[in-house]
Amino acid sequence: MDEIVVVGQVARDLVLVVDEVPGPGGTAPVRQRREVLGGKGANIASGLAQLGAPVALVGVVGDDDVGTRLIARAAADGIATRNVVVRPDCATGLIVDVVADGWRYLEDLPDGVLLREEDLPLDLIERARAVVVQLQQRPEVALAAARAAQGRVVLDGASEQLRDELLACADVVRADHREAELLTGRTIRTADDAISAARELMPKELVAFAVDDVGNVFVWDGGELVVPLGDVEVVDTTGGGDAFVAALTFALTRGDGPEEAAGLAVEASAAAVSHAGGRTRLTGR
């Protein structure tokens, strides 16, 4: 399998598990603490590396000790980090995930940790077998990456700006419930709603929409599949979508059909949400 490039966010992920979130002036002991490589781009790249794919990460960290450690962690995970930009005079992004009765996210993502067009290694992107473009970047940068790609383009997320231009570049589209409604301009309540909305994005190799309280819907030319929610206990949704995208991209790139790729993606997502934090251990079938 040739190299897969992930264009996306890199951050320090601090996970705190508590019995309850205290009110103003209150204190609560932390039962579990994890500090790991995070951010959606890095999570997807880590998942691909775990699955055995050669993968390169394109993202930004600050010129601080945290950024240095994150790059080292990514390299230790088997990710090519030569195109992770170290931004001068910028702090590395931080995501705090508080897990109690549900989960809450606190994000410190300075403007400097967003990719700029001059940060994109266009020659690397052009050569890649697949390019995952994670849409928490500036739309014009995401579009430049998608347009440069000669291989499979996987869009993760949604953007209100340059929506049509980005979709025109995509072979595979993955969106959660809110993002799917934003992409299609439709209200989605049921699996049938999601299938109908996904059909509007055709022709595509595959469209995958999550539907709250229902499951995941997959649509491709000549086929569709609804995978209901399983009986996995959801501890923390952090990283569930990232594991899903990693496994879906991996499976399609190695030649799996839509149904096989869907199965691996759902399995990977279930593994990710069954524990606190976005870092999990994925294996291909």
Side-chain angles (χ1 to χ4, degrees), residues 117-181:
E117 288 194 54
E118 59 266 28
D119 297 327
L120 296 176
L122 297 181
D123 55 341
L124 175 70
I125 291 171
E126 289 170 0
R127 296 195 309 268
R129 179 84 174 272
V131 178
V132 180
V133 181
Q134 186 262 312
L135 294 179
Q136 286 184 328
Q137 300 295 323
R138 295 183 177 93
E140 63 273 15
V141 177
L143 181 59
R147 282 179 169 167
Q150 300 297 311
R152 176 182 285 107
V153 174
V154 180
L155 291 188
D156 174 33
S159 174
E160 292 185 85
Q161 300 177 38
L162 302 178
R163 167 194 174 276
D164 292 344
E165 292 88 341
L166 282 162
L167 286 173
C169 298
D171 300 291
V172 178
V173 177
R174 182 269 168 189
D176 66 21
H177 192 130
R178 180 193 63 81
E179 293 163 344
E181 291 187 329

Side-chain angles (χ1 to χ4, degrees), residues 16-22 31 97-104 235:
L16 303 175
V17 180
V18 298
D19 290 324
E20 61 180 1
V21 178
R31 291 196 293 106
D97 177 14
V98 181
V99 182
D101 53 342
W103 41 90
R104 298 162 178 83
V235 175

